[in-house]
Amino acid sequence: MYEKVWKQDKIAFGGDYNPEQWDESVWEEDMRLFSLAHIDTVTLNVFSWAALQPDEDTYCFEKLDRIMEMVRAHGLKVVLATSTGAHPAWMARKYPEILRTEANGMRRKFGGRHNSCPNSAVYRKYSVRLAEKLARRYASYDNLVAWHISNEYGGECYCENCERAFRQWLKERYGSLDALNRAWNTAFWGHTFYDWEEIVLPNYLSEHFGEERTMFQGISLDYRRFNSDSILECFKLEYEAVKTYTPDLPVTTNLMGFYKLLDYKKWAGYMDVVSWDCYPSNDNSPAQIAMCHDLMRGIKGGRPFLLMEQTPSVTNWQPYNALKRPGVMRLWSYQAVAHGADSVMFFQMRRSIGACEKYHGAVIDHVGNEHTRVFREVAELGGELERLGGAVLGTRCPKQAAILFDWENWWGIEYSAGPSCLLRYGDEIERYYSALRALNIGVDFIGPEDDISEYGVVFAPVLYMVKPGLAAKLEEYVARGGCFATTFFSGYVDEHDLVKTGGYPGELRKLLGIWVEESDALPEGVKNHFTWKGTRHEATLLCDLLHTEGAQALAAYEEDFYAGMPVVTRHSYGKGTAYYVAARSDEDFYRAFAAELADLAGITPVADTPEDVEAVVRENETERYLFLLNHAKGERQVAAQEAGTELLSGREVKKGEVLTLPGYGVAIMKMKEVMTV
Ligand code: GLA
Ligand code: ZN
């Protein structure tokens, strides 16, 4: 069950390499520098469509052949991209239908990237043809390790092609206009459709009126599903094309963490391996970065993923592009590995000289040699990963706590008109995640259709949309002894965003043993309070006014006309327990609450560490690795709770011995005893 991403013997190290932007005279120098930096894997051909196909009938692969030959001769492995993330200018001129139309109806001209209409027959035909030609041509290269389809798929299109395809998609989903009219509740505002042709895309010309605001949630939700499916279809077509020639090579496309527009959980089902591009903002906390890695691992059932891109130093697209401090690139690389990455790859190998990414960080800077801080740090990490060898590869993070995360729920919550403009799904997820992270409890992100039986505790913050079968699954899980927690704005609607009548939280009411009668949205800065286990906490954002129906009230509001009503409840259900948190609270509450539930579920933190030191485990049947990641600028000390070998120094560590981690330092303990936590 513990599989490697490809036949790897070490963590892959390298990244996006764009020799096509350079004279061939530079290539040999690149090879020298790569070898100095211990780079073993390059992602090639990400944006070369225009070069590979100068016109409709001509393909020229000679330059790519030379690049492929050169990197093979230098012992480099290749992740080969299909180049379909940006179409050629001639194609846009000849076939304007491949251009996207924006939400305001503006039809784009050629420019930018990630710019093709996903429902354009021309785009599909030529993208698949290119993928096929590449696969046929390079199938025999034994250093080819994976396919990288397109690049960071995303965005939306509102063109007429897409409108026609949307109607078709709806026919398949609903079968009849009656069913569609019911699902969208079109009796509201006289929207009844009598002919499929009457249906138009929901955008600023129709149902939308502001950033992510819609007058018909049902229509807008279906458009999101349709758009995600349309783009996925492009991926699937290229996937099939390359698989015909290289059935055994893993196929991926680089994802973007919490990217809202594509239902990655669904996408992951069609990808052999998940890969993703990690670009934290300057102010992201270590837990926020960890959360993205865990989500990317979670969408593929916990399998190892590839860190396809990160910057070795700076980005160029943030308002302030701060440098990664010495040691931080290394620390974040190991953080990715700790959370399940079997590669450490960068964007980009050599800093380009023109257009918008010329000031984006790279392994080789404009100065063009190895004498830079960034190059030295990359090379040192490369050497270290070489020494680590096959350790960690293919291992998994243990199943401890789970957080339920669902893209359609995300769309539903944030399309909702009311109750509060401050309500953001990701923010609420993050509050629970960060609390678990701070306790060094492993977190898996799971979807509504995943098996939850092996988790000690399942958190489902803001489970607004309860899809068919989910409530029954949660009931069964708790009845058998599981521990479940959810929050305000849960259990309201079905998958069409239609309210379940009969009292909130709808289908979750029985499991939680409560009835939510009303919900009060508090403007920014306004707070209610409650006291739980002797500590006073805040209640903000949304405050549910609820009645217990079998649940026990653990804390009550202290202010306003609903003072005395329950804010935290616990319901014994079968052999297990279901908790409800009726308002947003503060960090102290989330930590105490997570600790209480973990304790109840019998979950032991993977290690006991000071505040800034993150501890994460990867393991399989025979090996167990504990990563200790010091996110602080200053030194921290951690007492080893078990004996083991610290792999980066090769030092034997006794039980109880104190490890000193320098600022931004990392230790990887290979434990002597393998025992599942
Ligand atoms: C993305 C893209 C890359 C590059 C980087 C810059 O991840 O995939 O091509 O643009 O961003 O940060
Ligand atoms: Zn379109």
Side-chain angles (χ1 to χ4, degrees), residues 516-575:
V516 175
E517 186 178 353
E518 294 181 87
S519 208
D520 192 21
L522 308 192
E524 202 151 21
V526 178
K527 291 175 183 168
N528 205 314
H529 292 88
F530 63 92
T531 301
W532 183 61
K533 301 192 133 196
T535 308
R536 195 159 186 259
H537 297 287
E538 58 186 45
T540 60
L541 189 78
L542 264 192
C543 294
D544 284 342
L545 281 58
L546 68 86
H547 310 274
T548 54
E549 295 176 335
Q552 185 191 351
L554 303 179
Y557 293 109
E558 294 175 358
E559 288 123 54
D560 219 318
F561 78 96
Y562 42 92
M565 289 186 91
V567 60
V568 183
T569 65
R570 176 174 62 203
H571 189 218
S572 296
Y573 188 89
K575 292 188 191 143

Side-chain angles (χ1 to χ4, degrees), residues 193-213:
F193 295 109
Y194 294 99
D195 191 317
W196 296 97
E197 298 298 309
E198 291 160 9
I199 298 168
V200 297
L201 294 174
N203 63 8
Y204 289 105
L205 307 178
S206 53
E207 305 295 357
H208 290 188
F209 59 99
E211 183 79 3
E212 296 213 59
R213 307 213 58 195

